[in-house]
Amino acid sequence: MTNPILNRLAGGALLATPVLLFGAMLTSPPQADDSPAGYISSLAEDWGRSILSANLFHYYWVAIALAVPAAITLLRGDRGRVLTTVGVVATAFGAIQMSGVLFADWMNAAMPSAVTLDQAVAVFTKINDDPSMILWLRTGVILGIVMPAVLMAGLARNGVIGWWAAPVALLPMIAGPVAGGMITPVAGSLVGALCCAPLALVGLRLMRRAATPAVSVPELAPIGSPLTSNDR
């Protein structure tokens, strides 16, 4: 039995993902290069912009982690149920991993004001070379980026959405940065937001499901009971 209030909240969270990702990518500070020094320097150059972007990225992943479990309520029948369930669990876990990683942006943005850039890079390198952090980052990236496609494939097999959603669900964190580097940051942010269409569509389906009143079937009394024998 579905909970209309929870479905509305989950639907609203998924509908917010394109807006959150657009804002996060648009405010992401430009880097001179891909080195740790270039990354840290870009964050430290504009504290307000860096922290705004980090917040938006963080809540983008939080919205996904909290909302995708509700997608299971959209299923009718068993087709695609296993695929959807695997996609939901792995996507939620990957999103949790990714949201936690964003804490590093606050630290990296603040370090150059307290220590030298070389010292900040040394701290950054030590943290990111730790095996547990490598596992954290890789599971976050792989599950957070890949598993939404598995989730959409399960929903598509069940007939909830179209099959186009599966490949598009892979692209928000890939196509957006690529387009931003090749064209402009605004274009890249827009592409990333548009690639959130599968998440937004699931959110819309959840909102519609919440608005549809549940049909209750009256329980039949056993044959031969006083209700059935006297209620004629």
Side-chain angles (χ1 to χ4, degrees), residues 88 177 200:
V88 162

Side-chain angles (χ1 to χ4, degrees), residues 127-150:
I127 292 172
N128 283 277
D129 284 348
D130 183 82
S132 62
M133 180 55 70
I134 292 172
L135 178 64
W136 183 351
L137 289 171
R138 288 183 179 174
T139 55
V141 171
I142 293 172
L143 298 180
I145 292 177
V146 175
M147 296 313 289
V150 175

Side-chain angles (χ1 to χ4, degrees), residues 90-164:
T91 297
F93 181 75
I96 291 170
Q97 296 286 79
M98 292 298 291
S99 70
V101 168
L102 266 299
F103 175 72
D105 279 4
W106 276 260
M107 302 298 296
N108 290 325
M111 277 198 296
S113 65
V115 298
T116 66
L117 181 59
D118 287 342
Q119 290 172 321
V121 170
V123 173
F124 175 91
T125 302
K126 181 175 179 61
I127 292 172
N128 283 277
D129 284 348
D130 183 82
S132 62
M133 180 55 70
I134 292 172
L135 178 64
W136 183 351
L137 289 171
R138 288 183 179 174
T139 55
V141 171
I142 293 172
L143 298 180
I145 292 177
V146 175
M147 296 313 289
V150 175
L151 166 60
M152 298 303 164
L155 293 175
R157 179 162 174 75
N158 192 262
V160 176
I161 55 177
W163 281 100
W164 62 270

